[in-house]
Structure formats: C-alpha cells, structure tokens
Amino acid sequence: MGKYIEMIRVRFLMMLAYRTNYYSGILIYSINIGAYYFLWNAIYGGKGEIEGLSVVQMTTYVAVAWMARAFYFNNIDREIAQEIKEGKVAVEFIRPYHYLMMKTMQGLGEGIFRLSFFSIPGMVIVGLIFPIEFSAAFSTWMFFMIAIILSFIVNTQINLLTGVLTFFFFNNDGLIRAKRVVIDLFSGLLLPISFYPGWAQDVMDFLPFQAISYIPSMIFTEGFTGSAVWEAILFQLVWVIILILPIQALWVIAKKRLIVQGG
Amino acid sequence: MKHATIFLLYVAQYMKTRLTYRVDMLMEIMSDLLFQAVNLIFILVVFGHTDMLSGWSKDEIIFIYGFFLVPFAIFGAFFNIWDFNERYIVKGEMDRILTRPVHSLFQIILERMELESLFGVITGIAVMVYAGKQLDLTLSWYDPFVFLFMVLGGAFVYAGIFILLASISFWSDSRTSIMPMMYNIGNYGRYPVDIYNKVIRFVLTWILPFAFVGVYPSAYFLGREEWYGYAFLTPVMGAAFFGIAILMWNIGVTKYRGAGN
C-alpha cells in the first residue's frame, strides 16, 4: 500500500514543477465558464427554468462540471499507449506492483494536485465573477465528495480500457481522441443529460458516461434531491464494479500476447 | 515556383506515409467527424429548449457552425503548430530548420501538415447546404467567390493568431498551455457575438478576432445587413493578422538562440 501512496506523492510533486501550467489552467477554465455563462443566459432568454434548472443553477452546473473535470481528468490512456509502443511496459510486468493500479495512482496524484491548486482557487475566482450558488447543506458537500471520487474511478477505468487497447491496435490515437469527445458529450460536461430528448436519455442510462460529470454536478447544484442522490451514487458504484471485468480480462489477454516493438 | 515544387513534394510524401497506415488515418477522420457532430448535437439539443438565441434562429446558428468548419479545416490542415514550442524549441528541432535555405515557417508548416483535416471542408459545406435549404437562402453568381475570400480570410485570422502565439516561444522558452486555451476561445466566435458582454465582443473582434471565422462572414450569407460591415472586413482582418504574425515570426527567429548547450 505504501508504494502506491508514494506514487501519488511523486506525481503530485511532478505536477508542481510545471508552474505556468496552472496559472494558465485557471485562466482557461474561467474563460470557458464565462463563455458558457453568456451562452446559457442567451439560451434561457426570459425563461425561469429549463428541465428543472434555473439559470443560476445552470451557471453553477457549468462551473462545477469544469472544476470537477480538473480532478477526474487525466492522460493515463495516452501514457499507457506510449509505454506500450515504446516497449517499456515489458519492464513494468516484472516490477513488484500492479501496472494498472500504479497508473491509477499517478492519475490520482494529478487529480489531487489539480483539485487543490486549480479547482479550489478557480472556483473562488469564478464565484466572485459569476452568480454561483453554493449549497449550505453539509450533506450536499459530503455526497458531492463521494460522487467526484466515484467519477474519478469511472473515468480512470475508461482511460485504462482505452489505454490497454493499444496492445491490440498498436496505434490508437484516433480512438483516444474519439473517446475524449464522447465523454465530453455523454458525461454531461457540455449539457446536462436531462436536456437531451427522452430516447437519448434512455440510451445513456445504459452507459457509464453520466457517472463522470452529470451526477456530481447535479448533486452539487441540488438538481438531485432525496432518494435521487442515493440512486445516482448507486449508479456510479455499479459501473465501478462492472468496468473492472473488461479491464481485467483485456489485461490478462494482453499479457499473454505481448509483442515488444523494439526496445 | 520553388516553393510550389517543395510543397507538392511534401504532399506526395505525406500521402505515401498516410496510405501506409490506413486504419490510423480512417480513425482520425472518424474522430474529427465525431468532434464536429458533438458541436452540432450541442446546438440541436439546446434548440430543443429555446427557439431563438438573441434573435438568431436554430438554422442560422447551424449555418454559422457549418461556415466555421471550412476555414477551421484549412487551418487545421496547414497550421497545425500547437506543439511548436515543445517540438521545435524545447527539443531543438529549430536548429535543423534554420540550416536550410527555405523560410523557416514554411518548412514547419509542411512538416506538420495534416491533410486529412481538409475533410472538414466537406462536412462544413454539407452543414451549410442543409441549413441554407431550411432558410431558403438564394445564391448569386458572385457568392461562391465571396465565400472563397471569406474562408481564406477566416483561415488566415486563425493562422495569424496561432503563429503569433508560436512566435512567443522565441522569447520565452518555458512550456505553457496557452495554445489549447486558444482552441477553446476560438469556439466562441461561432456564436452570435451579441450574446456576450462588450469586453468579450471587443476581444473577439479586434484582439483575438475569432468572430471573423464564424459569425461575421456568415452574416453576409444569411443576409443580416446590420453586420455587413464586419463581414466584408473578414479578408482584410485575415491579411492584416497574417501579415503581423509573419513579421513577428521573422523578428522572433533572429532572437532564437538554440536549445541545450
């Protein structure tokens, strides 16, 4: 266990080295949230609410969705693909840890870094400029914490899956790019799932993506209340468990058919 | 003449390498298409809940998006220099470029070409044709030529901004993630600028003139006469920004000292 915690620490310190990146990072996120703020204001026009969200809740939703993204987002799929292509992964097999677990921990190190130096200060800045409602209820914050941890796990699992697929496709840059676009759309980052037409919502109920962004953001904006919160968290948990299976299966097959390309 | 020959040689070489990895190229085109679809879905879903966006209808917004895709595709195919800093400055590739007798920026453009992005031209035109049909737009004989000028203007606005940003690397060689930021800001030029507040509108028009890649030129084709002045400025802004960018680049190159020891 200690070695995994060490991974988190090392990655956290690595991130600290690229200082300019987080100043510009906060700026990127603020500008993004700002533009969506104006866009949503125009979309709402004079309407009081759309699909149960008021315009202030919508601004909060956008802000929280982007700030939560800083925590769950990582590039471990790219890193895994790179290490597979360079043949470094062969060495990883004989090391005394589980390779995928180690990658997850590195992603977590990045996530904790971005959450503390990026999301929290960013949220303060955005909160000063735009009308955002923070809930006063302790339970909302607690459920939100649980939900973003689960969204980190689901997103990381999907990243592991796309990363490991490099074993089978050799070069999967296209797949990684496609995955990112699909997640932005179906996770609820750009649009709350409740805005989609009914049939699309039904389809998305059978996919893991809304566990990534929609659920934590809805919990934070109190778009979900009462038993809906519990159901949403259960939804995330179920996907965390389901996704272990294909990852593990692919990993076992990949180990058997490992072809080292050079190195 | 020399430049044209070099360009064609690079294109031929590019086709050869691309056709060797066909699946890869197909995946890239697919993911580009998916990216374009996502933005379209965003517009469609949003207009499921509202009829007008500050006086612009759904089909008008779709038309603007279609237009935007065309200059953006040209930009993506030839000015794919978002990793210039890392590739050429940090890794020292610029040294190699500068030993050759062809303009440095021209060489970099050729090396980083991504011709499959041009596929976006087709999607863009298809989207425009669809929206144009819904809006009953009619074309005059000179409209295709106007379109060409506007598209080139838009592509050069984009290119100018990104070359300017790349030129910064000659003075400061630390890594920054300013380039991805610009990609995000570029998207805002797609929506009618009257939805933003004055400061943002000013920035999108005169400082980072992304509005000239989407909403302004589209206003001409949509017959929105109140924006005609801005629409016809598009080629001028393109030429001006591109010119300034080349000037900055040329000054920047003289400041380049090489990486490592």
Side-chain angles (χ1 to χ4, degrees), chain B residues 22-72:
Chain B
R22 254 168 256 189
V23 181
D24 201 32
M25 186 174 75
L26 212 67
M27 275 306 281
E28 249 158 58
I29 292 176
M30 288 297 284
S31 70
D32 272 357
L33 274 176
L34 203 63
F35 180 73
Q36 290 150 12
V38 163
N39 292 316
L40 204 56
I41 293 171
F42 181 84
I43 297 171
L44 291 175
V45 172
V46 160
F47 276 100
H49 298 280
T50 183
D51 300 325
M52 287 296 212
L53 199 61
S54 352
W56 299 71
S57 73
K58 169 175 144 186
D59 291 318
E60 285 177 311
I61 303 278
I62 292 178
F63 186 92
I64 298 173
Y65 179 55
F67 180 90
F68 161 84
L69 286 177
V70 181
F72 187 71

Side-chain angles (χ1 to χ4, degrees), chain B residues 68-81:
Chain B
F68 161 84
L69 286 177
V70 181
F72 187 71
I74 296 172
F75 160 76
F78 297 108
F79 299 95
N80 184 27
I81 51 169

Side-chain angles (χ1 to χ4, degrees), chain B residues 35 39 68 158 182-191 196:
Chain B
F35 180 73
N39 292 316
F68 161 84
Y158 241 102
M182 284 305 140
Y183 275 97
N184 283 324
I185 295 175
N187 281 336
Y188 307 135
R190 278 185 355 224
Y191 295 103
Y196 302 114

